[in-house]
Amino acid sequence: MNWAVFTTAEPGLATTVEERFRAFTHHTLATLRKDGSPRTSGLEVRFLQGELWLAMMPDSLKARDLLRDPRFALQANPGPGTDTAGGDVRISGRAYEVEDPAGKAAYVEEVEPPEPFHLFRTELTEVVRTYVEDEKYLVVQIWRPGEPVRTLKRT
């Protein structure tokens, strides 16, 4: 389940999530260390060609983590202060390194990253948006592949 499939299934939520990620350059990526404990790292992400891409320096710890265990969680930068306009958004899934030279070349043509680098395509397992509605309700939207968005509202 890549980004294009998600945007087709849930276009409204996908637009909001993409806007939150595009609002800032740097976000937080969580990966799993060799011992299973979490590691968080800063990361830039790109939405291109129907995919959510993760690119990183060669042999970085986060790249080594993903090569060993593809599970990740990605949280959008909330921005300055406590105002998270558009809500807090998170994406979970699995990241797989792009080894196809043509696929990597298409990314390089669009982004022009410093080389060499690791490039990972993602498969989504969950997208979550949390926001405050009417200054009264905490609203949590949860999407998982094959399911409609589930919305929880709390006072």
Side-chain angles (χ1 to χ4, degrees):
M1 177 75 61
N2 70 358
W3 189 255
V5 174
F6 170 61
T7 60
T8 299
E10 296 295 340
L13 181 57
T15 297
T16 300
V17 170
E18 223 175 297
E19 286 171 354
R20 289 294 299 124
F21 276 98
R22 290 184 193 270
F24 297 95
T25 302
H26 297 97
H27 306 286
T28 302
L29 175 71
T31 57
L32 295 170
R33 299 172 192 248
K34 189 185 265 187
D35 68 2
S37 64
R39 179 191 319 273
T40 58
S41 309
L43 182 76
E44 295 180 28
V45 302
R46 297 280 192 277
F47 297 90
L48 297 169
Q49 306 154 354
E51 300 284 355
L52 167 60
W53 300 99
L54 310 177
M56 53 204 72
M57 292 172 48
D59 215 29
S60 63
L61 293 175
K62 59 190 160 196
R64 283 194 258 164
D65 288 346
L66 290 173
L67 291 169
R68 185 179 47 258
D69 185 329
R71 294 176 291 173
F72 74 91
L74 181 64
Q75 182 154 4
N77 183 334
T82 58
D83 178 28
T84 56
D88 175 61
V89 296
R90 297 180 307 279
I91 299 171
S92 298
R94 289 179 178 77
Y96 299 100
E97 187 166 28
V98 175
E99 298 184 65
D100 169 46
K104 201 167 180 181
Y107 180 86
V108 168
E109 189 175 307
E110 292 275 337
V111 178
E112 299 179 14
E115 295 201 43
F117 69 101
H118 288 284
L119 179 63
F120 294 86
R121 67 173 184 76
T122 60
E123 292 182 3
L124 312 181
T125 57
E126 183 177 71
V127 177
V128 178
R129 176 184 179 217
T130 305
Y131 63 98
V132 176
E133 182 179 277
D134 298 331
E135 297 182 25
K136 181 178 180 181
Y137 300 102
L138 178 67
V139 180
V140 181
Q141 294 176 296
I142 304 164
W143 173 86
R144 292 189 178 108
E147 300 175 13
V149 172
R150 185 174 49 146
T151 302
L152 308 169
K153 210 181 240 193
R154 301 180 189 152
T155 56

